[in-house]
Amino acid sequence: MSRRAPLNLKAPAPAHNNTQRAPSRRVAAVGKGARVAGSPIRGPYMPPENWYEPAEEHTGRYNVVQQQPGLGFRHILSEDDIRERLSLLPAAMVKPLQVVQLSQMTRKKRRAPCYGMQWGNAIYLYPIELNLVETFQRAPKPAQLIEAKMYGARWERMSASTWTLNWTEDTIRDFYLNNVLIHELGHILDERNTRSIDRERYAEWFALEYGYKPTRRKVLAARAASLYSGEAS
């Protein structure tokens, strides 16, 4: 699962198999919009979601369901964004996916918010604050600092016990498209691991290999082409 927890990373919930709820890595803090960073292991509490019964046969077609984001929150991705990003993956990887739900943030879910979650053959993507600023009540852990740097987000210390994670339009889109969405798909495809820590490790690897690295190669190639064309002219 991906979002915020009273710990120190957004932590995914325990997943013993891919029919169970599997949130994407971060959990948020208890209380009004304040998130505490948690461990990379998913928190014990999972917000209730609509259950989509897996079909016996995978057709390769999936539905996108969009709910209202909730007061003070916004969805980062549109249906077109999701379909375009997933179309870049091999069809066999996307075939088991049946639903992507843009979920609503409610008061109850804010007790253990996350960026994303996998449950069965569905992926749930959660909204983020309108101003793209997340508030935590603990200092970020090394893993959080590394991830923020990878995707261009910025941590800022506001007081002795308050930190904010600041995103821009481009960085948060990059994060959802090439980390959260791909991470949750990795959970659906993982049919081997049963321990939550192993499932999380696999999803992290999958997001790195099929989300982060390919997009960075494109960026570097574009920069190189631009430098080359500039020298040529």
Side-chain angles (χ1 to χ4, degrees), residues 8-27:
N8 208 323
L9 246 192
K10 296 164 185 178
H16 302 296
N17 57 60
N18 69 346
T19 63
Q20 292 187 320
R21 296 181 232 185
S24 258
R25 285 162 309 145
R26 290 125 230 159
V27 185

Side-chain angles (χ1 to χ4, degrees), residues 2-3 8 11 15 21-22 55 66 72 80 96 98 100 111 122-123 131 135 139 142 172 196 210 225 231:
S2 306
R3 206 165 182 65
N8 208 323
R21 296 181 232 185
Q66 182 165 344
D80 288 344
Q98 294 179 12
V100 178
R111 293 172 54 193
I123 290 173
N131 63 358
T135 303
I172 194 64
S196 60
Y210 294 98
E231 290 174 359

Side-chain angles (χ1 to χ4, degrees), residues 80-176:
D80 288 344
D81 292 331
I82 293 165
R83 292 192 181 280
E84 181 179 355
R85 180 64 185 89
L86 293 180
S87 72
L88 301 177
L89 297 173
M93 286 184 177
V94 184
K95 192 174 182 180
L97 176 65
Q98 294 179 12
V99 176
V100 178
Q101 177 177 297
L102 297 172
S103 295
Q104 182 180 54
M105 182 61 70
T106 63
R107 188 177 351 180
K108 186 174 183 179
K109 290 178 186 176
R110 289 184 68 178
R111 293 172 54 193
C114 58
Y115 296 116
M117 182 179 81
Q118 168 264 329
W119 193 11
N121 291 68
I123 290 173
Y124 305 81
L125 300 179
Y126 290 89
I128 198 169
E129 287 78 352
L130 285 170
N131 63 358
L132 304 183
V133 177
E134 302 182 78
T135 303
F136 294 79
Q137 295 173 345
R138 270 185 211 172
K141 289 191 174 181
Q144 290 175 289
L145 292 171
I146 292 171
E147 186 174 67
K149 185 175 182 180
M150 287 171 62
Y151 289 92
R154 179 175 52 84
W155 281 96
E156 184 176 354
R157 185 170 190 170
M158 306 303 292
S159 70
S161 60
T162 304
W163 293 72
T164 59
L165 179 55
N166 304 271
W167 301 91
T168 65
E169 294 287 346
D170 289 340
T171 58
I172 194 64
R173 273 180 54 80
D174 182 22
F175 180 62
Y176 269 80

Side-chain angles (χ1 to χ4, degrees), residues 31-106:
K32 237 179 174 180
R35 284 161 216 152
V36 187
S39 84
I41 305 297
R42 309 187 175 194
Y45 170 82
M46 287 307 305
E49 280 297 349
N50 296 330
W51 165 254
Y52 298 98
E53 192 67 33
E56 292 185 6
E57 295 185 8
H58 302 310
T59 64
R61 298 181 180 179
Y62 59 90
N63 295 321
V64 176
V65 178
Q66 182 165 344
Q67 299 178 344
Q68 291 298 317
L71 186 62
F73 289 85
R74 56 182 284 199
H75 290 303
I76 297 303
L77 304 182
S78 67
E79 178 174 350
D80 288 344
D81 292 331
I82 293 165
R83 292 192 181 280
E84 181 179 355
R85 180 64 185 89
L86 293 180
S87 72
L88 301 177
L89 297 173
M93 286 184 177
V94 184
K95 192 174 182 180
L97 176 65
Q98 294 179 12
V99 176
V100 178
Q101 177 177 297
L102 297 172
S103 295
Q104 182 180 54
M105 182 61 70
T106 63

Side-chain angles (χ1 to χ4, degrees), residues 33 92 165 183 197-198:
L165 179 55
H183 178 101
I197 190 169
D198 294 330

